[in-house]
Amino acid sequence: MIEIEVDGELYHPPTRVWQALTDGDVVGRWFADLQNPSGALEGPRLRTGDLPGFEAAVDVTVLDREAPLRLAMRWHEAGRRSQVTCTVTPTAAGCRLTVREVLEYGTWSAELHADRVRCYRQAVGGRLPAILDWLAFQEVNLRSGDEVASSEVSGAGPAVPVVPARSRRRWATIGVAAACALVTGVALWVLAPADPRPADAVADPAPALIAGPSQGSPSAASAPSRPTTGATSRAVRPRGTPTKGTTPSPSVSPSPAVRLTARYETSSKRILGWTGEVEVSNHGAAPAAWTVVVTLARDGTVLDASGATWRQDGEKVTFSGAPVPAGGSLTFSFDVRDTRAAGPEACRVGEAACAGV
């Protein structure tokens, strides 16, 4: 038994992928023309004679269909018979399509088998994602939402933008709340008691501002106070006071030099996105932690990453992962949904720019 199995990650919902598998007009755009006057998949013929790995047209019989997750067919082509199963598995970013063909009767030459595998990979990994992006673009409604209201231009003067009633109510509420706060503040200032201290009394020194602790660190109020060794402490130290028993501070040996570089490459492009790949290299003598910051074009969104953890804040995406071994390198990739660009605006590892951007 000879079989072929090819799968691909698709950043689209299963229903859209199912449309690309079962709609005759769409199938012809990414795989082969489908001769099917009735519009159904029962008894169609795929014109695959010009595709690598195929020697003639394929007569198709549908064995099982479970929309939108599974489509099983039997193919008859040039005296051979095979069973082809398309399985759609939902994922966090979209779904995974697995195409599996098992030869039931006849045989393939080694060259024909290799060409057939290459044909499937090109179709599932290249042409199908492009068609899915095209289908998604057709579904975009650029006039959706009530936040942007159209204005009609009249000859009387400039058009006035229309503000939705919901927005007017929201701003009215904010105005009333602000007025109440102002009246309350004035009343408290008028009724507040006068300062009992005489006019010539020296004002209390301004309290020192203490920065609040960062999230996840111990509270600054609970730590015992101790003098700092900054510029302020040296300024208030009495001059001429000798110090006794001063012990020189031990010298600290420098840590091994760590030098990280990174190289970026756009590994694939789609109509509505692209995939980037970054290789981080450690030229130092010790393992090194790393952080790569990639700046996307406006509205770019990372969908998933392999080989690194990531966090997106606006256009900036921060990637990190296991330390890079001394003299070694590691590679991670990430998928971006972006309709404006086919690559990042910038890429940095630490303070150094990535090559290839």
Side-chain angles (χ1 to χ4, degrees), residues 132-156:
L132 292 173
D133 289 344
W134 174 73
L135 290 175
F137 183 76
Q138 288 188 321
E139 298 174 5
V140 174
N141 183 6
L142 299 179
R143 298 180 180 272
S144 62
D146 59 354
E147 289 80 3
V148 180
S150 60
S151 58
E152 297 181 358
V153 180
S154 63

Side-chain angles (χ1 to χ4, degrees), residues 27-218:
V27 172
R29 294 177 180 270
W30 68 273
F31 187 63
D33 291 336
L34 188 65
Q35 296 178 341
N36 186 16
S38 64
L41 269 180
E42 276 65 49
R45 166 173 285 196
L46 284 168
R47 301 183 62 180
T48 55
D50 296 333
L51 293 178
F54 291 84
E55 295 181 323
V58 173
D59 292 319
V60 181
T61 301
V62 176
L63 302 177
D64 185 29
R65 51 189 299 164
E66 300 175 12
L69 302 179
R70 186 174 182 272
L71 176 64
M73 301 167 285
R74 177 165 284 118
W75 286 7
H76 301 266
E77 175 229 350
R80 289 181 290 267
R81 187 183 67 209
S82 61
Q83 183 170 333
V84 179
T85 305
C86 300
T87 305
V88 181
T89 305
T91 63
C95 63
R96 179 185 301 107
L97 172 63
T98 302
V99 178
R100 184 170 182 263
E101 182 175 10
V102 179
L103 192 61
E104 298 177 330
Y105 177 80
T107 185
W108 292 315
S109 66
E111 182 180 0
L112 196 66
H113 182 270
D115 289 344
R116 204 174 185 100
V117 171
R118 185 169 65 253
C119 178
Y120 282 134
R121 288 177 178 172
Q122 291 174 350
V124 175
R127 295 192 296 270
L128 177 59
I131 293 302
L132 292 173
D133 289 344
W134 174 73
L135 290 175
F137 183 76
Q138 288 188 321
E139 298 174 5
V140 174
N141 183 6
L142 299 179
R143 298 180 180 272
S144 62
D146 59 354
E147 289 80 3
V148 180
S150 60
S151 58
E152 297 181 358
V153 180
S154 63
V160 179
V162 180
V163 180
R166 182 173 53 190
S167 299
R168 292 197 297 269
R169 291 195 299 271
R170 181 171 65 251
W171 284 107
T173 304
I174 295 175
V176 172
C180 294
L182 178 61
V183 172
T184 303
V186 172
L188 291 176
W189 176 75
V190 172
L191 298 177
D195 192 348
R197 294 180 299 178
D200 57 350
V202 179
D204 295 335
L209 297 179
I210 302 176
S214 60
Q215 184 177 1
S217 61

